[in-house]
Structure formats: C-alpha cells, structure tokens
Amino acid sequence: MSDTALRGPVRIVGTGLIGTSIGLALARLGVVVELVDGDPDNALMAERIGAGSRLVQLEPQLVVVAVPPDHVGTVIAEQLEQTDAVVTDAASVKGKPLADAKALTEAAGRASDLSRYVGSHPMAGSERNGPLAGRADLFEGATWAITPHETSDPAAVELVRRLAEACGARTVELSVPDHDLAVARVSHLPQLMSSLAAGTLVDAPTEHLELSGQGVRDVTRIAASDPGMWTQIVAANSPALSGLLEQIRDELDRLLIALSKEQPGSQSSDDEVTAVLRRGVSGAVRVPGKHGSPHIELVPVLVTIPDRPGQLARLFADAAASGANVEDLRIDHSPGRPVGEVELAVKPASVEQLVDVLTERGWSVHR
Ligand SMILES: NC(=O)C1=CN([C@@H]2O[C@H](COP(=O)(O)OP(=O)(O)OC[C@H]3O[C@@H](n4cnc5c(N)ncnc54)[C@H](O)[C@@H]3O)[C@@H](O)[C@H]2O)C=CC1
Ligand SMILES: O=C(O)C(=O)Cc1ccc(O)cc1
C-alpha cells in the first residue's frame, strides 16, 4: 500500500453517535461512505440524515469500526478477513481491542493481516448516543489519538491520520499503553467522578435540588452517559483506572480523618482542606484550552438576559460591536425563571471594552 490519500469508499461499522458523525463529516467532503450496523434501524437512520449509504458496491479503502468496546476486536478481525482495506476503530480504550483482534487473527492463521490495523480514538463525543446525536462538526478542532502497534504499516497509519484530519481534528500519535493511561486520567476517571457526584443526588429532596447552579450542572453533565458503554470502557481499562482510584481513595481518607479529628475551623483540619483545594487549582490550570492550545486565562463576564425571543442574538451583536472575541460561552437558564444568565469568557485585555459597551447598551453586567 503506497497511496495514502483518503479517496474512499470508507465503510463505517457501527452507526451510532461516533460512526454517524464520522460519516457526516466525510460525506460532506464527497467521500463515498458505506454504513453498516448490527441494528438495521440505526443504519437506516444514519443514511436518512446524510451520513452515507447502506448499499455501496465498491470495495472499501478504509473501514472504521465504531461499535462498543467489547465488540471492537471481533469486528476488526472480521473486517481484516473480509476486505483488503486498512482498518481502524474509534474505541475509547485501545489495549483490549488490539489484544482481542490479535488473538482472533492469530487463531485464524492470519496474523499478518494485523499490519492493516491501526487503532485510533477521537477525543470528542457527548453524553448522548445513537445516530440522531451525530454531528458533522463533532470533531472540528478536537484531538484524535492514533495508536499504531508493533506491526502497523506506516502507510496505514498515514491513511488513518488523513481520516482524522478530514473530520477536522488534530492528531496525536502515542503507544497503546500510553493512550490507555492518558485516557484513564483525562476521560475515564472524570466520568466516574461525575457519576459518583450525581449519584448522591438520587435521594436528595426536591427543595435541595432547586438550589442547583452551574457548578453541579458542570460536574454532573457526563453522568448522563450510557452506563452500558461505560461499564465496558471501565472494565477494559481497569488497571490504569485502579491506580488513580486508589490515589483518590487515599486523599478522601486523609480528608475524612482531618474532618473527624478536628473541630471544623481548627488549623490542621483547614490546612488539609486547603491543600486539597490548592492541588485542584494547580491541576485545573493544566487542562489545555480549546483546539489543544495551551491553557489561556479567560475572564468570565456575566450578563443577565430577559427570557424573551431575540435577546441572545442582540447580546452577541453587542458583544461583537465591542471588538471582543468571545472565547467560550455558557448559558445558565432555569425553566420557569423570567431571566437567564449568560457567561461570556474573554481574554483579560478585552474585558474592560466588553463591559463598557454592554453596559452602555443597557445590559445588566457583572464580573
Ligand atoms: N460516546 C462518546 O462520546 C465516544 C465514544 N467513543 C467510542 O466510539 C465507539 C462507539 O460509541 P458511540 O457511537 O457513542 O456508541 P452508540 O451506542 O451511539 O453506537 C454504537 C453502535 O454500534 C452498533 N453495534 C453494536 N455492536 C455491533 C456489532 N457487533 N456490529 C455492528 N454494529 C454494532 C449499535 O447498534 C450502535 O448503532 C465506542 O467504542 C466508544 O468507546 C469514542 C469517543 C467518544
Ligand atoms: O462529552 C464529553 O465531554 C466527553 O468527554 C465525551 C467523550 C466520551 C468518551 C470518549 O472516549 C471521548 C470523549
């Protein structure tokens, strides 16, 4: 294999959130996309929303496996056997699919097929699943990990890189074990922490929940993710995750001991709490900013907006008129309340100008 241009056809096996999003991104570039799914309704739905076609007569150049982690290795081995295509997958964990595919190809006496397989993992998604959650721009500006193994053909690696770039992502190449350690930290542990925090709300009285603000919404958003899928991800990455969970357990133990031994407010109990909070600040500033760029300090500017049609459009027009670039945006709106709160995040140099222009134009602004 020497031609590494992405020409298609691309066969997508698993037309849920990720498969459909990849199909939509490629189809809009004119690449022929074939859609395959164990659930015929999902393939039909993906076809209807323009992610490709269920019937493509041509042999695929590339197969993308986007099924739940437990099934990925089997589908990779099947596709390596049934086609001459390069095969990649999108699974959230890379060690288990590779081990499963390796065992199956070796058992079939076809170990050399594995040179056409290169693992990959788009680092974008959502707490929703299924084809209707798919979006052509899901991977725009996202990072996409590429995880070649020992016998991956360099030309196959290049083709998978072209796939990620065609979807608008920037690629990062790393080994399979490194990938699994990294995602344990930046994705799998955060998922479990979100689920644990949200779990404490199950029995909370309604009047407690009514006090919910943006903090609890941020922390619990991904707790709504599919438990079936995440059980598979967590099980497949258990060694890397166990180490991190032990670290958290030790910190929780120290915190609990400090809180139980001391009267609240006493010096050593406060020191332990402050240490936990300070470590959190130091960790949070290390999370890179959007598009994989280094973290930049942004300043939130809060604007109260009336809950009436057209108010957001007017706010954005006024923000644009100030010359400030809105780097990030959050809307906090509780149903039933007559106003919402919009947080515009801007670079420090733009704050003054933004606040002045919005105030002049009658907005209620606070920092
Ligand atoms: N949900 C997310 O945010 C992200 C998920 N991923 C990974 O992408 C993969 C797909 O995840 P989603 O799209 O979220 O799941 P999904 O649940 O939306 O879609 C999975 C699809 O695979 C189909 N499927 C299941 N087993 C199959 C088989 N053996 N053969 C053919 N089709 C089969 C299902 O019918 C379904 O349509 C998973 O491996 C996941 O770890 C990667 C990045 C982000
Ligand atoms: O919704 C979010 O913020 C996510 O982080 C989605 C996500 C889920 C699983 C992955 O393997 C990668 C990304």
Side-chain angles (χ1 to χ4, degrees):
M1 193 198 145
S2 54
D3 179 9
T4 56
L6 181 66
R7 289 173 282 100
V10 174
R11 175 183 292 168
I12 295 176
V13 186
T15 58
L17 165 71
I18 298 299
T20 298
S21 298
I22 295 172
L24 288 168
L26 296 179
R28 96 186 148 168
L29 297 175
V31 176
V32 173
V33 177
E34 180 185 358
L35 303 168
V36 178
D37 198 290
D39 179 341
D41 287 346
N42 281 3
L44 175 64
M45 199 64 79
E47 183 180 71
R48 286 210 174 134
I49 59 180
S53 163
R54 287 171 300 159
L55 280 178
V56 172
Q57 304 288 356
L58 300 166
E59 280 299 302
Q61 178 198 21
L62 173 66
V63 178
V64 182
V65 179
V67 305
D70 279 1
H71 303 278
V72 173
T74 309
V75 178
I76 291 168
E78 282 169 7
Q79 292 296 320
L80 286 171
E81 182 162 355
Q82 289 166 18
T83 70
D84 291 323
V86 168
V87 176
T88 189
D89 71 300
S92 305
V93 60
K94 305 278 34 120
K96 185 180 184 306
L98 174 62
D100 290 352
K102 196 162 185 253
L104 288 165
T105 49
E106 280 171 5
R110 302 180 60 96
S112 64
D113 279 357
L114 215 59
S115 65
R116 286 186 282 120
Y117 166 67
V118 180
S120 80
H121 180 194
M123 293 308 301
S126 92
E127 66 282 9
R128 300 175 57 212
N129 62 352
L132 292 179
R135 281 177 21 213
D137 64 353
L138 184 65
F139 310 111
E140 291 288 347
T143 305
W144 190 309
I146 301 190
T147 59
H149 60 92
E150 276 170 10
T151 66
S152 293
D153 178 349
V157 178
E158 186 52 32
L159 185 63
V160 175
R161 187 186 307 284
R162 300 284 176 99
L163 165 75
E165 287 168 359
C167 293
R170 62 180 271 277
T171 59
V172 171
E173 194 174 309
L174 68 178
S175 72
V176 168
D178 252 6
H179 168 275
D180 285 358
L181 273 176
V183 291
R185 272 186 213 285
V186 302
S187 179
H188 305 171
L189 183 72
Q191 172 65 46
L192 288 178
M193 300 311 284
S194 176
S195 301
L196 286 166
T200 67
L201 303 176
V202 170
D203 301 321
T206 314
E207 55 273 29
H208 291 188
L209 297 172
E210 273 166 7
L211 302 186
S212 299
Q214 199 55 43
V216 70
R217 291 194 185 101
D218 284 352
V219 169
T220 57
R221 178 183 62 85
I222 54 175
S225 303
D226 176 11
M229 175 80 75
W230 275 96
T231 303
Q232 295 183 24
I233 295 172
V234 167
N237 207 14
S238 56
L241 257 173
S242 300
L244 290 168
L245 285 171
E246 278 163 12
Q247 190 183 326
I248 299 273
R249 182 189 57 197
D250 292 348
E251 290 190 30
L252 284 177
D253 280 346
R254 275 204 302 279
L255 202 52
L256 279 168
I257 289 167
L259 294 181
S260 68
K261 267 195 190 152
E262 312 284 344
Q263 290 300 314
S266 78
Q267 193 56 50
S268 67
S269 151
D270 283 358
D271 287 350
E272 190 69 44
V273 175
T274 309
V276 167
L277 295 170
R278 286 224 168 105
R279 229 174 119 67
V281 173
S282 307
V285 298
R286 298 200 65 210
V287 178
K290 63 183 182 182
H291 309 321
S293 57
H295 182 89
I296 43 167
E297 214 54 68
L298 295 177
V299 181
V301 173
L302 296 164
V303 186
T304 305
I305 62 164
D307 187 14
R308 285 202 306 271
Q311 294 305 302
L312 263 182
R314 190 166 75 79
L315 174 63
F316 292 149
D318 290 347
S322 81
N325 188 34
V326 176
E327 305 283 339
D328 209 347
L329 169 77
R330 223 150 58 167
I331 304 174
D332 186 3
H333 174 252
S334 300
R337 282 179 57 208
V339 292
E341 191 97 86
V342 176
E343 184 182 304
L344 305 171
V346 294
K347 291 190 180 143
S350 310
V351 175
E352 207 96 322
Q353 216 178 342
L354 177 66
V355 172
D356 286 353
V357 170
L358 293 184
T359 311
E360 256 170 42
R361 296 184 178 204
W363 293 99
S364 160
V365 185
H366 32 282
R367 288 152 75 173

